[in-house]
């Protein structure tokens, strides 16, 4: 294994991975999507209470999309409209303009004529010591198939160890800059969902990839993220936040997946998704371009994402953000 990342927050691990990937130690290759730096095999380990959303200065991770995708996966949908409403380019991955071939939730809930997620819950409820809970995402039909969307994450293992639910995700190929932040989050939500149903704590989250890589076109952005963040401060900020907010997503995942934001039970999450979803962002820009940020974790996420791209003039938030992460 080329890269072993553990013992830090996911934001800290991600920052380390970017530094390693851009160090010049790995070969550059050509690929169907452009020149790429191939890091090879890698392992990420995420602690049980890590907040799991990347909020590094300059990274511009879209937390609205991450939350919507997590809910969409739990719902078992393969309808591309849910994702493309937030990120229009997602429609490019659809083979028929309507569905996504490799939709993780659909693969787990429907594709194999079995609700694997429910079967996993039933197995672990019956036998908490079971080592047989394997969720399959990749299908033999994908081998040699012509599609814009072949699953990158291929299998999931769920085990109860020392009274807590661990998850291990196996991945055939993973884009460090664009893919890793969202993969860690959505499978973390899936882990949290199963743990809540079973009534056991969340354990360790592990990600193995057989082909971690970063495209050359994203290297300048990665270097800017490295320049704009301090490893010690990033871990310190991560320790201020926890993973409990995932419960707010899980309790309303049906409503989120359907775009019924007014029906979301959590006031904070309802406000966050309603104000910062694509349609609302466009409206705010059209009227005056100024966003209102709450001082909770959701507000912090929104500011990290939007203010760095919209040149927001909220001086108090800017001072707080910089003091937290630098």
């Amino acid at each position: 294994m080329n890269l072993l990342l553990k013992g830090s927050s996911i934001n800290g691990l991600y920052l380390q991975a970017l530094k390693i990937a851009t160090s010049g130690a790995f070969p550059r290759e050509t690929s169907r999507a452009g020149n790429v730096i191939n890091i090879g095999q890698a392992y990420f380990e995420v602690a049980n209470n890590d907040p799991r959303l990347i909020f590094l200065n300059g990274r511009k991770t879209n937390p609205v999309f991450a939350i919507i995708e997590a809910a969409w996966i739990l719902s078992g949908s393969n309808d591309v409209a849910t994702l493309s409403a937030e990120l229009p380019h997602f429609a490019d991955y659809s083979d028929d303009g309507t569905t996504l071939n490799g939709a993780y939730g659909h693969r787990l809930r429907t594709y194999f004529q079995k609700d694997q997620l429910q079967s996993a819950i039933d197995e672990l409820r019956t036998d908490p010591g079971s080592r047989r809970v394997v969720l399959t995402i990749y299908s033999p039909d994908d081998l040699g198939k012509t599609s814009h969307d072949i699953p990158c994450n291929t299998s999931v293992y769920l085990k109860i160890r020392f009274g807590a639910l661990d998850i291990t995700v196996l991945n055939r190929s993973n884009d460090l800059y664009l893919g890793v932040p969202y993969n860690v989050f959505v499978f973390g939500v899936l882990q949290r969902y199963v743990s809540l149903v079973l009534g056991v704590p969340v354990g360790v989250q592990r990600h193995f990839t057989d082909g971690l890589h970063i495209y050359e076109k994203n290297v300048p952005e990665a270097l800017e993220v490295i320049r704009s963040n301090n490893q010690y401060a990033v871990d310190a900020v991560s320790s201020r936040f926890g993973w409990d907010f995932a419960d707010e997503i899980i309790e309303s995942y049906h409503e989120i997946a359907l775009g019924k934001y007014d029906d979301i039970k959590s006031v904070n999450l309802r406000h966050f998704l309603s104000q910062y979803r694509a349609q609302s962002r466009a409206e705010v820009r059209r009227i005056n371009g100024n966003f209102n940020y709450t001082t909770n974790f959701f507000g912090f996420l929104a500011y990290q994402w939007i203010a760095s791209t919209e040149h927001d003039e909220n001086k108090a938030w800017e001072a707080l953000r910089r003091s937290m992460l630098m």
Side-chain angles (χ1 to χ4, degrees):
M1 184 173 296
N2 288 350
L3 189 59
L4 173 64
L5 293 161
K6 59 185 295 188
S8 177
S9 65
I10 187 57
N11 278 273
L13 296 179
Y14 187 69
L15 184 58
Q16 291 175 35
L18 290 179
K19 291 176 181 178
I20 293 168
T22 58
S23 67
F26 299 94
R28 282 169 164 75
E29 302 174 353
T30 57
S31 77
R32 61 180 178 81
N35 293 335
V36 65
I37 298 172
N38 182 18
I39 298 116
Q41 291 76 29
Y43 168 76
F44 292 83
E45 184 174 291
V46 186
N48 62 336
N49 199 40
D50 191 279
R52 287 171 173 78
L53 271 171
I54 299 297
F55 47 72
L56 298 176
N57 286 331
R59 176 53 190 82
K60 306 174 189 176
T61 306
N62 183 334
V64 171
F65 179 79
I67 290 169
I68 291 172
E69 184 184 20
W72 178 77
I73 288 171
L74 288 181
S75 75
S77 177
N78 66 348
D79 184 355
V80 72
T82 300
L83 302 185
S84 61
E86 179 58 31
L87 292 181
H89 78 267
F90 245 82
D92 297 340
Y93 296 104
S94 175
D95 299 325
D96 59 9
T98 302
T99 62
L100 287 171
N101 172 68
Y104 297 135
H106 184 68
R107 294 288 177 114
L108 294 173
R109 294 284 205 181
T110 305
Y111 186 88
F112 297 101
Q113 288 75 56
K114 184 182 185 71
D115 187 339
Q116 297 183 75
L117 205 51
Q118 185 58 51
S119 295
I121 291 167
D122 294 341
E123 170 76 10
L124 290 170
R125 184 177 279 139
T126 301
D127 180 9
S130 177
R131 299 188 299 274
R132 297 180 174 182
V133 179
V134 179
L135 309 182
T136 299
I137 298 174
Y138 192 90
S139 168
D141 295 340
D142 292 316
L143 188 60
K145 185 173 185 176
T146 300
S147 173
H148 296 298
D149 184 39
I150 300 296
C152 293
N153 297 284
T154 58
S155 298
V156 177
Y157 302 155
L158 293 168
K159 290 184 176 70
I160 296 177
R161 291 187 174 101
F162 306 108
L165 181 74
D166 286 2
I167 187 171
T168 299
V169 181
L170 303 185
N171 179 287
R172 63 174 179 82
S173 179
N174 213 355
D175 182 337
L176 173 61
Y177 196 75
L178 297 178
V180 168
Y182 298 100
N183 286 174
V184 168
F185 180 75
V186 299
F187 284 103
V189 172
L190 186 146
Q191 177 191 20
R192 182 84 173 194
Y193 170 80
V194 175
S195 76
L196 287 173
V197 174
L198 292 173
V200 299
V202 169
V204 176
Q205 181 179 352
R206 302 177 178 89
H207 287 255
F208 291 88
T209 180
D210 192 52
L212 187 66
H213 56 272
I214 184 170
Y215 288 98
E216 284 190 341
K217 63 187 178 184
N218 296 127
V219 168
E221 297 166 282
L223 291 173
E224 178 61 21
V225 172
I226 293 167
R227 187 196 66 77
S228 302
N229 291 275
N230 173 281
Q231 185 78 41
Y232 175 81
V234 165
D235 284 332
V237 171
S238 291
S239 70
R240 302 186 192 184
F241 303 120
W243 190 217
D244 289 347
F245 76 93
D247 296 0
E248 301 173 47
I249 300 167
I250 290 166
E251 70 177 353
S252 296
Y253 77 83
H254 284 296
E255 290 80 4
I256 297 170
L258 293 172
K260 296 182 177 180
Y261 302 130
D262 290 341
D263 296 332
I264 293 172
K265 297 179 180 65
S266 162
V267 173
N268 286 336
L269 182 57
R270 185 192 319 144
H271 176 269
F272 175 72
L273 291 180
S274 296
Q275 178 170 347
Y276 299 114
R277 63 194 174 101
Q279 183 178 348
S280 297
R281 296 198 306 274
E283 184 65 11
V284 169
R285 292 188 190 103
R286 187 186 68 80
I287 296 173
N288 57 24
N290 294 320
F291 288 84
N292 296 316
Y293 302 102
T294 59
T295 54
N296 56 31
F297 182 50
F298 291 119
F300 175 68
L301 290 173
Y303 194 81
Q304 285 295 94
W305 166 46
I306 293 176
S308 59
T309 58
E310 297 295 327
H311 306 291
D312 192 275
E313 295 300 322
N314 189 319
K315 300 300 184 183
W317 259 105
E318 175 63 19
L320 175 61
R321 180 176 75 92
R322 284 290 166 183
S323 68
M324 292 176 77
L325 286 166
M326 292 301 291

